[in-house]
Each structure stands twice: as C-alpha cells, then as structure tokens.
Amino acid sequence: MSTLLIPATLPSAREDAKQLHAAFKGLGCDHSAIINILAHRDSAQLESIQQEYESKFSHELKKRLASELHGHFKKLAVLWVEDPVSRDAVMLKEALKGTISTDHKGSTDIICSRTPSQLRQLKQAYYSIFQIQLMQDIEKEAHGDHKKLLLAFVNTTRYEGPEIQTKMIEDDCKAINTAGETKSAAEKVFVPIFTDRSRAHLAALISAYKNMFGKPLEKAIRKETSGNFEYSLLVILRCAENSSMYFAKVLRKAMRGLGTDDSTLIWIVATRAELDMHHIKVEYKKKYGKTLNDAIHSETSGHYRTFLLSLIGPNY
C-alpha cells in the first residue's frame, strides 16, 4: 500500500513544469516548492511533468535537478523522478561499481529482495540505461558462491503463486540438514533451493525445518555458510517470510550507530513509497516501538528530511 499523498485536485503536468522552472530561478532555488510538487506525484504523473518540462524549456528536468540541488536531497530527488524500475537499476549500478569498492550487501539487498517479474523488468532497465547486461556486472564484481547464487537468482524463472508441494519441502529440509558435510555440498544444496523455489515454498520451508529438526532454518544457514553468500541466503529467506519486516529491519540498521546509511535509506524510501511503505511502517512500529517517521526525523535534517517524510506519509 502506497504512502504517497496526492492532492484530490491536481494541477496539469504543464503547470507543475512551470512551477518547477520558477523554483529554479533566481539566487538559490525554492526547495519547498520542489518538494511540494515532486513528493506528491506518482511515477506516471512525474513522467508527464518531465515530458512537459523538456518540451517547454528544452532541458531535462532530471539534469536541472542535478545541477540545482546538493547532497542527499539531490540524490533522492534525481532518483525519485526515475521510473520505478529504473530507480532499482540506478541504485544497483551504484552498488556494483562503487567509487571505492563494490557494495556487496547493497547489491544483494536489491537483487535478492525482488520477485522474478521485478527482476525481469530490472534487467531490461539496467541494459537500457547502462548498455551492459546486469549478469556481466555481477560476473565482474561478485565472487565465489555469492556470485553463483546472484547469477542463478537473476536468471531463474520462479513460480510466484501460493501453491506448495509438501513432499518437495520435506526433501529440501533433509537436504539442508545434511548440507554441512563439506563446503561444496552446502553450495550445491543451498543455491538450487534458494534460487529455484518460490517465496511461498521458502516460507513453508521455515516452519517445516523447525518442526523436523527443532532448530531455526536461519541457524542452519549461519552454521553452514558465511560472508556475502550467507547474507544473500538470509535476504531471500526473510523476504519470503515477510518482506515488509525485512525492509523495516534494513531501515533500522541504516539509521543505527555512527552516521546514517543514506544510500540504503534513499533506496528503500524511493522504491517502496508507491508499493508497500504503509506495511513497512506498520512492521517498523510493531518491532521497534517507535514510528519510522520519528526515526527518520531524528537521523536526517533539512530539505532532505522533509522530502523523505513527505514520501512516507503521516506519522503512525
């Protein structure tokens, strides 16, 4: 469920384009006017505004935002005016080819939290924007079992419905329980199961494993795997169990400790605001006893904070 608050009576896309252009004029720009428009329009409306802006002013709105804004506010605004699939593609490219080193956890979060249909769209957008196949960048930047899993996860067509096969779940539980005999055995067991099975299957696997062997499946993963490979398995499993809770936990981690992980915060808010941010907020409040709005308010500042809070809606 989206948290965007879109006015009941909207100005035309042409009028929005004019107001944005006016916000850029003069000494400095009117940040509040920019937020009041962009943060209260959905992706289809933003696309129309950009078309009108370029038609009337012979300049891309995205490039104008990039030249007028700064810091995290700039990054969020420029990402927000991308279409929803391209938002993922842009953040994934950044993670796979960071300025210092590859952000393996960041790229894993994006890839392994997406459904098969979302990944198909993501691959198309990635190639369209960067003129390179996503698989080629994964090949270059990832390593070992982590790379094997990401490539398989991106390329495998998985069932997305609710039906499950009890016998297959039992067989998978047994295979996982005996996977720790050798490192190679663990990889050969975990990769096919976690890249080929549906979310419904994996969710059922969690309770079935606990019932059969008296221990959590996550504990088995932590025991038999490590590093980025372990992390990717856990992301897939947690998204299968409750994707809203997964995103709530990632947001919590991004805002804890010394400094905020703004890339993660921007990625989740920009990519979930139109989809399921309401459910993420509910899970966040349930898990941590405070609202996501309050957490963002305390960890960010200025127009960047205002834009984030506008996108996630009322404080509850």
Side-chain angles (χ1 to χ4, degrees):
M1 183 175 172
S2 172
T3 51
L4 289 186
L5 296 178
I6 299 174
T9 303
L10 274 176
S12 67
R14 177 167 295 184
E15 182 60 29
D16 277 342
K18 289 179 181 178
Q19 292 300 318
L20 286 168
H21 185 68
F24 298 137
K25 296 174 70 175
L27 294 174
C29 62
D30 188 342
H31 297 88
S32 295
I34 293 169
I35 293 169
N36 286 339
I37 295 172
L38 297 186
H40 300 286
R41 306 292 186 269
D42 63 25
S43 54
Q45 292 159 348
L46 290 171
E47 182 179 0
S48 296
I49 292 168
Q50 291 181 87
Q51 291 171 354
E52 289 288 348
Y53 191 94
E54 186 168 1
S55 173
K56 185 166 183 60
F57 303 110
S58 301
H59 201 282
E60 289 184 31
L61 177 58
K62 184 166 56 177
K63 290 182 179 179
R64 190 66 189 268
L65 290 167
S67 67
E68 295 286 346
L69 306 179
H70 304 282
H72 301 310
F73 180 39
K74 167 184 169 179
K75 184 173 182 177
L76 176 58
V78 172
L79 185 67
W80 181 244
V81 298
E82 297 277 5
D83 67 84
V85 181
S86 295
R87 293 168 192 162
D88 265 346
V90 169
M91 294 303 290
L92 181 53
K93 182 67 172 179
E94 179 181 297
L96 285 170
K97 199 68 175 179
T99 54
I100 300 175
S101 61
T102 298
D103 179 2
H104 291 292
K105 287 191 174 181
S107 59
T108 298
D109 280 326
I110 296 171
I111 292 171
C112 294
S113 65
R114 292 333 191 215
T115 65
S117 55
Q118 289 170 337
L119 285 172
R120 284 193 294 274
Q121 294 177 320
L122 174 57
K123 287 189 289 184
Q124 293 171 355
Y126 196 93
Y127 183 77
S128 176
I129 297 169
F130 303 112
Q131 296 301 298
I132 187 171
Q133 299 289 350
L134 173 57
M135 289 74 76
Q136 291 176 265
D137 273 350
I138 293 173
E139 281 277 6
K140 288 191 299 182
E141 302 298 334
H143 307 282
D145 292 342
H146 181 234
K147 177 166 75 174
K148 292 177 184 176
L149 185 137
L150 291 183
L151 289 172
F153 196 76
V154 164
N155 287 319
T156 302
T157 301
R158 285 175 296 283
Y159 171 65
E160 295 189 55
E163 289 83 5
I164 57 174
Q165 297 181 29
T166 304
K167 178 65 166 57
M168 183 181 290
I169 290 170
E170 292 175 354
D171 290 344
D172 284 348
C173 287
K174 293 173 184 176
I176 290 170
N177 196 53
T178 58
E181 296 174 0
T182 66
K183 182 181 180 299
S184 60
E187 176 264 318
K188 288 177 181 176
V189 168
F190 281 113
V191 170
I193 292 174
F194 279 71
T195 62
D196 185 65
R197 309 299 192 257
S198 69
R199 282 190 171 183
H201 179 101
L202 293 175
L205 194 68
I206 294 170
S207 56
Y209 190 89
K210 180 71 179 291
N211 289 336
M212 290 175 69
F213 301 107
K215 56 186 178 182
L217 180 53
E218 281 203 15
K219 186 174 182 180
I221 292 172
R222 293 182 184 281
K223 179 182 177 183
E224 309 302 344
T225 65
S226 61
N228 294 318
F229 182 47
E230 173 194 315
Y231 185 76
S232 58
L233 293 170
L234 292 174
V235 172
I236 293 169
L237 192 67
R238 289 166 181 171
C239 286
E241 183 177 29
N242 184 341
S243 61
S244 296
M245 177 59 79
Y246 158 77
F247 285 116
K249 289 180 177 179
V250 174
L251 283 166
R252 172 74 168 184
K253 186 175 181 181
M255 293 184 284
R256 291 185 69 188
L258 296 175
T260 300
D261 179 356
D262 289 288
S263 287
T264 296
L265 180 56
I266 289 168
W267 164 61
I268 294 179
V269 171
T271 58
R272 310 313 295 189
E274 288 188 83
L275 295 176
D276 54 1
M277 183 55 73
H278 164 73
H279 302 296
I280 295 169
K281 289 171 66 176
V282 169
E283 294 291 358
Y284 193 97
K285 176 71 177 295
K286 187 190 305 181
K287 177 74 174 176
Y288 302 111
K290 68 183 296 187
T291 67
L292 178 60
N293 296 61
D294 286 344
I296 289 176
H297 189 276
S298 65
E299 297 298 329
T300 60
S301 61
H303 297 295
Y304 170 51
R305 172 205 284 164
T306 303
F307 201 165
L308 288 168
L309 292 176
S310 297
L311 291 174
I312 70 168
N315 190 2
Y316 56 81

